[in-house]
Amino acid sequence: MDNGRLRTATTHDGVELLNLWALLFDEDNAAREDPWRSHAAEWFGRSVDDPSSVRFPVIEVGDAIVATAIGTLELGVPNPQCAKGRTVRLANVITLPGHRGRGYGTRLVLDVLDWARSIDADRVDLSATPEGRRLYEKLGFTTTSAPRMKLAL
């Protein structure tokens, strides 16, 4: 069994990553004309080579990416919970169904945590699905009292 190779995504990985991200939204990969895809592809192209503000770890088995995560640096107002105002947002953690249970998610999250420390972030925030909670709690994440709210524009 291939343990998978952890590496940082490159510009050449954009299409594969878009297809993985689509799975997060239970979206049929055949719907390749969705507007979010072109925006995500453009954002990825601009961001992939900026390790000071974005981290794109992937797990590769053979020649295919089977798992990925994203860490993005968010700069905000320093406050008691975030003294420097540097928060990393962990998002889009996904492993293809046939490759789950091999520790890939843990390896990806640990990679983003290492990166967050290397760029002097204060904390890492995420929104966990019920399926992901156990992984994040095992790594020391805690539930906060502030619920997330959003407004789509």
Side-chain angles (χ1 to χ4, degrees):
M1 176 169 76
D2 191 336
N3 289 332
R5 179 173 73 100
L6 176 68
R7 66 173 176 83
T8 303
T10 68
T11 54
H12 303 292
D13 298 319
V15 171
E16 257 186 294
L17 290 177
L18 279 170
N19 290 335
L20 274 172
W21 297 340
L23 295 175
L24 288 165
F25 310 110
D26 294 326
E27 187 176 293
D28 181 357
N29 278 335
R32 296 183 190 273
E33 299 305 313
D34 242 355
W36 76 267
R37 285 178 172 273
S38 61
H39 293 294
E42 182 182 316
W43 172 79
F44 177 76
R46 282 192 323 268
S47 303
V48 68
D49 293 324
D50 183 5
S52 66
S53 62
V54 183
R55 179 75 177 166
F56 294 102
V58 299
I59 300 284
E60 190 174 58
V61 173
D63 291 331
I65 295 173
V66 300
T68 189
I70 300 173
T72 55
L73 176 63
E74 297 175 356
L75 301 176
V77 177
N79 62 70
Q81 290 79 37
C82 193
K84 294 172 265 179
R86 296 175 63 83
T87 299
V88 166
R89 168 78 49 198
L90 175 63
N92 292 25
V93 180
I94 185 166
T95 300
L96 289 174
H99 295 271
R100 292 182 182 157
R102 299 178 189 178
Y104 295 162
T106 299
R107 288 172 61 193
L108 293 165
V109 173
L110 289 173
D111 180 83
V112 172
L113 295 178
D114 287 345
W115 171 76
R117 289 181 186 98
S118 79
I119 61 165
D120 205 25
D122 294 295
R123 69 181 191 202
V124 176
D125 288 350
L126 60 84
S127 295
T129 62
E131 298 82 20
R133 286 183 69 94
R134 192 178 87 236
L135 162 67
Y136 303 124
E137 288 170 348
K138 179 180 77 173
L139 294 175
F141 285 86
T142 59
T143 302
T144 67
S145 60
R148 282 184 53 119
M149 295 176 72
K150 66 180 175 182
L151 171 66
L153 301 176

